[in-house]
Amino acid sequence: MIDVLIIGAGITGSLIARKLSSYNLNVHVLDKENDVGNVTSMANSAIVHSGYDPVPGTKKAKFNVLGNSMYPKLCEELDVHFKMIGSLTVALYEEQLKLLENLAERSKENGVKVKLLSADEVRKLEPNISSEVKGALLAPTAGIVNPFTLTVHAMENAVDNGVCLHLNEEVIKIVKNGNFYNVVTKSNSYQAKVVINAAGVHSDQIHAMVEPIDYQITARKGEYFVLDHYKEGLVNHVIFPLPSEKGKGILVSPTTSGNYIVGPSSEINDDREDVSTDKLTLDEVKRQALDMVPSIPFNQAIRTFSGNRPTPSTHDFIIDFAKCDKHFINVSGIESPGLVSSPAIAEYVVNELVSQVLTLTKKESFNPYVRKRIDLAKLSYKERNELIKKDPNFGYVVCNCEKVTLGEILDELSRSVPPRSVKALKKRTRAGFGKCQGGFCQPLVIKALAKHFDIPCSEVPLDGPGSEICKFVTKGGNDK
């Protein structure tokens, strides 16, 4: 019998699993995708918000501020790139200055330190900002993070501490059977004392399998540009416009990998699985971004992408027991600022909710640290050469754009939550994330995956089952 079954392996589900793994419990995680963090958690702005914006007194405000304070230690333990670079919310018109003052007052209510800046002070911090800028709100505790590694390493740490992960398991039915729930997927069934619903854009549908619900989740699509490693200093902070009813607006920000990200749009999406992009929407993203930073080199854009945010009709996070039973816990509607809120949400769910229905005893062997990644970019030339002498695979460059070696790929494949697709490996190592977008390295990546899993190249998927890239062998080639 499973003690706790978590549905959803995004950042929230992964961090809840990690927290639960510190107790003597039998914990399992289901996800319908072929990798963890494969939906909303991988297609967001990667911003660690300071917490000045959410309405005071809401769950969003509470968990945003608490989560922000947890990030430095969390990212140290999970070996994740994180930089507290601060954010600037800019006013481009005189009439917007009053709105900045209102945000500053809200910041005080939320317990977030901010500073109102004059136009000259903004220009000193951001030389490329629009000449029309009238002022800005500086939030020093905002930051940027690698959301791919964060989610993967959170789940990896959970698995290292005893959690069982089941991928490609889409839940189709949940039935209460006496003192436990029978959770049925397309291929298996699982019996659990407690179920935690962290299913992202599908969390209302999962909840509705248990009882009638009085809210709904709407997928709100956000489309983005990613710019190449252009140059340092295009922007030094996360640059926001003033927020609106649609969200925080089009931002311009550095990333932890040295790229820049511009977006997102914010439009209701009737198809929760649709992550397409379109020119009209991206043109509007571009226009709004150029209003703030006129020198953005969109000719350096190497990729566009989109993600769906689970927007709840309640306008706040839904974190509570089901009405019918305390053994079913909903963690639903975790839209922005969900990424930054997730560690605090995990603490609350376990300490305040799960503790009411299960006895929690600390696991003496729990280790909060993951095995550190081998990151050649962080090593000196001497350290790299020593590593290559020990293992020549670290001298064989697979991805020239991002300088990813075969040794780094093999290291990722040896971990407890290994990548099982081209996309999953890309998220972990950045192989294929560069200017050519895998045009040159993808065949080598496919070969590395095929060899590790001892399968033909024609069975290596781009993402999930059915997305295989190589269909057949030509000209007498070898399929392995």
Side-chain angles (χ1 to χ4, degrees), residues 99-236:
L99 298 176
L100 283 185
E101 292 174 6
N102 293 342
L103 280 179
E105 286 301 313
R106 179 178 286 189
S107 302
K108 291 179 183 178
E109 292 185 66
N110 287 342
V112 178
K113 291 182 179 180
V114 297
K115 182 181 179 182
L116 287 166
L117 303 180
S118 67
D120 287 340
E121 289 173 319
V122 177
R123 291 189 191 97
K124 285 179 182 178
L125 294 175
E126 294 289 351
N128 293 315
I129 206 77
S130 169
S131 60
E132 298 297 317
V133 69
K134 300 299 186 292
L137 185 71
L138 171 65
T141 58
I144 54 177
V145 71
N146 183 327
F148 314 123
T149 311
L150 179 65
T151 308
V152 169
H153 283 192
M155 184 57 73
E156 183 179 298
N157 191 227
V159 170
D160 289 343
N161 283 292
V163 169
C164 295
L165 172 65
H166 309 271
L167 298 171
N168 297 309
E169 291 276 25
E170 183 177 353
V171 175
I172 57 173
K173 184 168 67 172
I174 304 174
V175 179
K176 185 71 183 294
N177 190 348
N179 294 325
F180 66 89
Y181 280 96
N182 189 42
V183 179
V184 181
T185 70
K186 288 185 174 180
S187 53
N188 292 293
S189 64
Y190 301 85
Q191 289 72 48
K193 299 174 186 175
V194 175
V195 174
I196 298 176
N197 169 22
V201 294
H202 298 287
S203 53
D204 58 338
Q205 296 168 332
I206 295 295
H207 187 181
M209 294 179 185
V210 173
E211 63 181 0
I213 62 174
D214 56 4
Y215 68 93
Q216 67 179 30
I217 299 296
T218 300
R220 189 174 286 276
K221 186 194 285 189
E223 300 186 24
Y224 296 84
F225 288 93
V226 178
L227 308 187
D228 196 14
H229 303 280
Y230 172 58
K231 66 177 181 180
E232 291 187 7
L234 174 65
V235 292
N236 303 306

Side-chain angles (χ1 to χ4, degrees), residues 11 14-15 35-37 41-42 46 71 74-75 77-82 145-157 256-257 339 370-373 375 378 412 415 417 424-430 433:
I11 184 57
S14 295
L15 283 172
D35 192 26
V36 301
S41 295
M42 67 149 285
Y71 255 75
L74 176 70
C75 291
E77 292 175 345
L78 296 183
D79 190 29
V80 176
H81 292 167
F82 165 68
V145 71
N146 183 327
F148 314 123
T149 311
L150 179 65
T151 308
V152 169
H153 283 192
M155 184 57 73
E156 183 179 298
N157 191 227
T256 56
S257 57
L339 184 67
V370 295
R371 171 164 63 92
K372 284 192 173 292
R373 294 179 66 246
D375 189 347
K378 288 186 174 181
E412 288 294 334
R415 302 177 77 96
V417 183
L425 186 61
K426 177 180 179 179
K427 288 190 294 181
R428 287 160 174 77
T429 66
R430 296 193 59 78
F433 254 127

Side-chain angles (χ1 to χ4, degrees), residues 22-43:
S22 67
Y23 297 97
N24 290 307
L25 296 169
N26 180 15
V27 180
H28 289 237
V29 181
L30 305 181
D31 198 281
K32 70 182 182 65
E33 297 288 315
N34 195 35
D35 192 26
V36 301
N38 211 38
V39 187
T40 304
S41 295
M42 67 149 285

